[in-house]
Amino acid sequence: MSTHLVSMTVNGIERHARVEPRKTLADFLRDDCRLTGTHLGCEHGVCGACTVMIDGRATRSCLVFAVQTEGGRVTTVEGLAPDGELNPVQAAFEAEHGLQCGFCTPGFVVSATALLERNPSPTDDEIREGLSGNLCRCTGYQGILRAVHRAAQSMGARQS
Amino acid sequence: MKPAPFEYHAPTTVDEVTGLLASHGGEAKVLAGGQSLVPMLNLRLARFEALVDIGRVDALRTVARVNGHLRIGSMVRQCDVEESAEIGAAVPLLARATPHIGHFQIRSRGTVGGSIAHADPAAEYPAVALALDADLEIAGPSGTRAVTASTFFTGTWATVLEADEVLIAVRFPVWGEESGFAVDEVARRHGDFALAGTAVGIQLRAGVVVRAAIALFGLASTPVRAAAAEAALVGSAVAGLDLVGIGHAAVAGLDPPEDLHASSALRRRIGAATVTRALGRALEEAGVA
């Protein structure tokens, strides 16, 4: 089995590993980087639990092979709050009961973060569309919707 | 790890890509954005001896005006189409189709060429290419050739691409003034493949339709042009057009596929409705312009 040496920046830290080409970025993050915040649900691009940022864009890490990300810059949910505190999106999910079991939450937090970067004050419809690629099976989406609104408000207040 | 093992190549030139494809004798597959291919690999619906990743071929990322066309490299990503003012102005139909594709997390990776080469019959970009009579530039071991979209698609997930060929660019004709464009589709959930949909381009002169392009998707094994409806439109005054009738005419004679999501008859009815709605919006835009 041929393997490839891959190098990429994950949450600001240079990571190297020798991997089979068929190893997805999600498995690379979980197995080789020990960053298990990125969750794997469906593993074929439907559920969104594995969403991470690659070079600043929210992406399904189960639909990208680690070798494709050679030289890239990856941010996982662990990298969104590097100082160990909740960032505004995470705090809003807690405050608005945007999570119950928490399995889908890393994907939602990354997608919501990407959404708010592009659109700092989204409408209900824009939030629904932005999060339509993430599935939650227990919390219900109303709390998540409220959480994104709250995060938008607190981030806007912080900037002004 | 879910996919079966494969060799991985990441060439940086088109010549290397075609050389690698040829050297694997039909057992290699081109990997572009991977948003259709990787799910199929993960589910082991497909397996290949090798993947040839074209993501590092810089020449496939360019966008340029060439002889009345906008030439878009096959590795231009769908998120780039969404954000490009140049593409939005020159090929509005492509820009308007884009938000219908998957979710923004899919469009971060998905590409123009990948969607067209994958040739899903319910996908938006193949229908846009067909509606606009785009030319598809294909590179192979013995050079490049251009194929019109009307001859490119041969069936579900099937095209004229040979195993040692790669789609390198798509040339979309740039329409002139008094044009209008619209995409309309119905999907069970936002981001799903459409049950049926329509991509429309209309051009007017003094209130009369001078150019009509209607491509339907999800209604056959390939995207199809509604040629009879187009012919009925051209030469007609906008005032008094029976858009509902044209919608029904556009799907007459089609025998859409049937599955658990929709019967053949339902797909045909949805198809007719999407034609009516898309035409209405395209005509409105063309008239306002």
Side-chain angles (χ1 to χ4, degrees):
Chain A
M1 180 54 53
S2 72
T3 57
H4 293 245
L5 184 64
V6 295
S7 309
M8 67 186 82
T9 306
V10 181
N11 301 334
I13 298 167
E14 195 69 24
R15 299 278 193 167
H16 314 273
R18 187 159 276 286
V19 300
E20 279 188 59
R22 62 175 169 154
K23 178 171 267 191
T24 62
L25 177 63
D27 284 332
F28 171 81
L29 293 169
R30 290 177 56 83
D31 299 349
D32 297 272
C33 302
R34 292 286 168 198
L35 292 168
T36 53
T38 298
H39 290 174
L40 277 166
C42 71
E43 296 188 68
H44 62 275
V46 173
C47 76
C50 68
T51 306
V52 301
M53 305 266 208
I54 302 177
D55 297 328
R57 289 191 185 275
T59 305
R60 307 236 193 273
S61 62
C62 74
L63 296 189
V64 179
F65 295 115
V67 287
Q68 291 177 272
T69 319
E70 165 66 29
R73 185 169 49 85
V74 176
T75 305
T76 69
V77 69
E78 291 94 338
L80 295 178
D83 55 3
E85 303 210 343
L86 297 182
N87 74 13
V89 175
Q90 293 167 320
F93 269 68
E94 184 191 33
E96 295 290 349
H97 305 287
L99 70 160
Q100 183 170 304
C101 87
F103 187 88
C104 66
T105 309
F108 269 101
V109 168
V110 173
S111 286
T113 302
L115 172 69
L116 292 172
E117 277 179 9
R118 292 184 312 163
N119 182 354
S121 49
T123 63
D124 268 14
D125 281 353
E126 288 167 340
I127 296 172
R128 285 176 202 278
E129 178 174 346
L131 298 183
S132 64
N134 290 77
L135 299 184
C136 166
R137 297 284 84 145
C138 70
T139 313
Y141 297 100
Q142 301 309 320
I144 295 172
L145 189 69
R146 286 195 302 272
V148 178
H149 275 304
R150 177 187 280 256
Q153 280 160 12
S154 66
M155 291 162 83
R158 180 181 287 194
Q159 275 162 10
S160 58
Chain B
M1 286 181 288
K2 300 193 80 177
F6 53 81
E7 278 179 50
Y8 174 77
H9 303 286
T12 56
T13 67
V14 172
D15 282 350
E16 287 174 82
V17 172
T18 55
L20 283 162
L21 291 172
S23 72
H24 282 281
E27 298 299 320
K29 183 76 174 173
V30 172
L31 171 63
Q35 301 302 286
S36 298
L37 178 59
V38 180
M40 294 172 104
L41 294 170
N42 282 358
L43 293 167
R44 298 208 181 191
L45 295 172
R47 58 195 296 172
F48 298 95
E49 185 180 289
L51 294 190
V52 179
D53 180 1
I54 60 172
R56 298 190 188 264
V57 184
D58 289 339
L60 301 183
R61 293 182 184 283
T62 56
V63 177
R65 288 292 275 266
V66 183
N67 297 332
H69 289 66
L70 192 71
R71 182 183 186 276
I72 301 180
S74 56
M75 266 307 295
V76 170
R77 297 193 194 274
Q78 290 152 5
C79 58
D80 298 325
V81 173
E82 271 183 298
E83 293 168 10
S84 163
E86 181 184 22
I87 294 173
V91 194
L93 192 59
L94 191 71
R96 282 172 207 174
T98 306
H100 293 282
I101 302 171
H103 307 284
F104 81 90
Q105 300 90 337
I106 297 289
R107 301 192 293 272
S108 297
R109 300 291 297 182
T111 65
V112 172
S115 175
I116 291 173
H118 181 60
D120 192 292
E124 292 82 2
Y125 280 179
V128 169
L130 183 68
L132 297 179
D133 289 315
D135 290 313
L136 308 173
E137 285 182 35
I138 297 168
S142 53
T144 62
R145 63 182 176 127
V147 174
T148 62
S150 60
T151 56
F152 182 76
F153 303 104
T154 56
T156 300
W157 302 334
T159 71
V160 299
L161 281 170
E162 300 289 342
D164 56 2
E165 290 184 318
V166 59
L167 180 62
I168 56 171
V170 186
R171 294 196 300 252
F172 293 95
V174 178
W175 286 27
E177 294 186 342
E178 289 195 72
S179 299
F181 302 92
V183 174
D184 198 275
E185 67 175 53
V186 172
R188 285 285 185 198
R189 293 163 299 196
H190 178 82
D192 281 9
F193 274 112
L195 296 176
T198 304
V200 166
I202 287 287
Q203 196 167 15
L204 307 179
R205 192 164 301 140
V208 173
V209 178
V210 293
R211 198 173 187 185
I214 304 173
L216 308 164
F217 50 98
L219 292 172
S221 63
T222 65
V224 289
R225 286 284 285 268
E230 292 173 5
L233 276 162
V234 173
S236 301
V238 174
L241 281 176
D242 171 17
L243 299 186
V244 172
I246 293 169
H248 286 296
V251 301
L254 290 176
D255 182 23
E258 196 158 66
D259 60 25
L260 77 170
H261 300 297
S263 67
S264 185
L266 176 59
R267 275 202 165 79
R268 204 162 35 235
R269 284 177 58 186
I270 292 171
T274 62
V275 170
T276 301
R277 289 200 292 253
L279 259 181
R281 291 208 300 275
L283 284 163
E284 193 176 338
E285 184 191 21
V288 168

